Structures are given as structure tokens and as C-alpha cells.
């Protein structure tokens, strides 16, 4: 009788352990879907830009490298299709040297596009928080600041625009 009772208890424990959800395997930005507190330094003047500076509209964060071919093509595509983003704001972030970002800013004439804010992230908050594996890395949040969708690498503008 003791054997059956021990077997029943062990089997019950196994089922309880297996039924527990383990959401710690989910990325932090999915577990905590609000836009995180952040600080970047805008091009061209290094003015501080934080979550509090965001407008009450969808936000598209693009983590990029100014020297990355895929990032350059994605930027060309966004600029060519900027009208698809008129209801959103685009925050382009790089952790690389501010000087390289400013050159990219001028080369792509980002100042002409008020929807786009470009900034440097010298503390590497964004690539660490989002666990960036490939560039560009794109993270879309809705107008309430809730995470909607992420994209790794080059992606069509239509997919990004339909995510918000």
C-alpha cells in the first residue's frame, strides 16, 4: 500500500512540475510589453531623448549599424515609403560611435523626415535588452506603448507598417 501511495505522490508531482508554465524563456520585452525606460543621444546635436519624449502614437524602434548594408537598404526603403509611417514614429538607434551615426544622418538626410528620430546608445541598452542577433532589428509598439511585433534582418516595409 505504501508503494502505491508513494507512486501516486511521485506521479502527481511530475504532473504538477510539467504543468507549470515557464515564461522566463520568453524575451524580456515580451514578458514586460511596455516600452522600456531608455536614454539615447540624438543626431546631430546629442540632445537627450527618452521614453518620455515619445509621442502618443505607434513607435518603430530600429537598431542599426551605419556601416551595415542591410541597414542601409532598409533605411532607403523606409525613406522611399515614408508615407506608410505617417501614423507612427521611427526611432533609429545605434550603439556605435556618435560620429558615424551623424554621418549616416547627413548622408540619408534624416532631418527632412520629422517622423524619424536617430540616436546613439553608448551604454548598449537596446542591443542587450532586445537581445539583438541580426541587423537591422526592428521592434514595433502600439500607440499605448505595448509591444506588438519584432523583425530580425531586412524585412518588407509592408510587414512593418502592418504591425502597428
Amino acid at each position: 500500500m505504501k508503494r502505491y501511495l508513494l507512486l501516486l505522490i511521485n506521479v502527481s508531482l511530475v504532473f504538477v512540475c510539467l504543468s507549470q508554465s515557464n515564461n522566463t524563456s520568453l524575451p524580456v520585452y515580451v514578458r514586460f510589453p511596455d516600452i522600456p525606460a531608455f536614454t539615447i543621444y540624438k543626431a546631430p546635436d546629442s540632445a537627450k531623448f527618452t521614453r518620455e519624449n515619445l509621442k502618443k502614437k505607434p513607435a518603430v524602434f530600429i537598431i542599426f549599424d551605419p556601416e551595415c548594408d542591410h541597414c542601409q537598404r532598409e533605411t532607403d526603403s523606409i525613406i522611399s515609403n515614408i508615407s506608410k509611417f505617417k501614423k507612427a514614429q521611427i526611432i533609429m538607434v545605434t550603439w556605435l560611435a556618435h560620429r558615424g551615426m551623424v554621418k549616416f544622418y547627413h548622408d540619408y538626410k534624416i532631418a527632412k523626415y520629422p517622423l524619424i528620430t536617430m540616436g546613439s546608445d553608448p551604454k548598449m541598452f537596446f542591443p542587450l535588452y532586445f537581445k539583438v542577433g541580426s541587423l537591422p532589428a526592428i521592434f514595433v509598439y502600439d500607440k499605448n506603448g505595448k509591444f506588438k511585433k519584432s523583425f530580425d534582418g531586412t524585412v518588407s516595409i509592408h510587414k512593418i507598417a502592418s504591425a502597428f
Side-chain angles (χ1 to χ4, degrees):
M1 183 69 167
K2 284 184 184 180
R3 278 187 164 176
Y4 290 117
L5 184 58
L6 285 174
L7 179 63
L8 180 63
I9 290 171
N10 284 335
V11 169
S12 297
L13 285 173
V14 167
F15 280 114
V16 168
C17 290
L18 291 176
S19 68
Q20 297 295 317
S21 71
N22 182 6
N23 76 1
T24 57
S25 64
L26 294 173
V28 69
Y29 59 89
V30 174
R31 288 186 288 146
F32 303 101
D34 294 327
I35 294 174
F38 67 88
T39 300
I40 60 174
Y41 301 93
K42 292 178 12 177
D45 61 0
S46 297
K48 189 185 273 192
F49 186 87
T50 67
R51 176 176 62 186
E52 288 71 31
N53 298 114
L54 293 171
K55 297 176 177 105
K56 186 78 170 158
K57 57 195 315 191
V60 179
F61 290 90
I62 302 173
I63 293 87
F64 77 105
D65 174 346
E67 296 179 8
C68 162
D69 289 336
H70 295 284
C71 300
Q72 293 167 3
R73 283 194 298 272
E74 195 75 47
T75 303
D76 282 331
S77 188
I78 288 169
I79 288 171
S80 298
N81 294 281
I82 198 71
S83 64
K84 295 188 184 313
F85 293 91
K86 63 184 171 196
K87 294 182 181 177
Q89 56 196 319
I90 300 169
I91 302 88
M92 296 183 72
V93 180
T94 184
W95 66 92
L96 298 171
H98 187 79
R99 183 179 35 203
M101 177 197 60
V102 170
K103 180 181 179 334
F104 189 93
Y105 178 86
H106 290 302
D107 289 349
Y108 285 87
K109 299 175 179 44
I110 299 299
K112 288 177 36 179
Y113 307 98
L115 300 175
I116 302 175
T117 299
M118 184 175 288
S120 63
D121 176 19
K123 293 184 179 177
M124 292 186 63
F125 170 76
F126 280 90
L128 296 174
Y129 182 81
F130 289 111
K131 297 204 182 310
V132 172
S134 60
L135 295 174
I138 301 168
F139 301 88
V140 179
Y141 286 81
D142 67 15
K143 69 178 182 179
N144 298 313
K146 300 292 184 191
F147 174 74
K148 298 294 284 181
K149 190 147 179 111
S150 66
F151 302 96
D152 282 332
T154 305
V155 64
S156 84
I157 295 305
H158 304 291
K159 284 185 181 180
I160 299 168
S162 68
F164 56 84

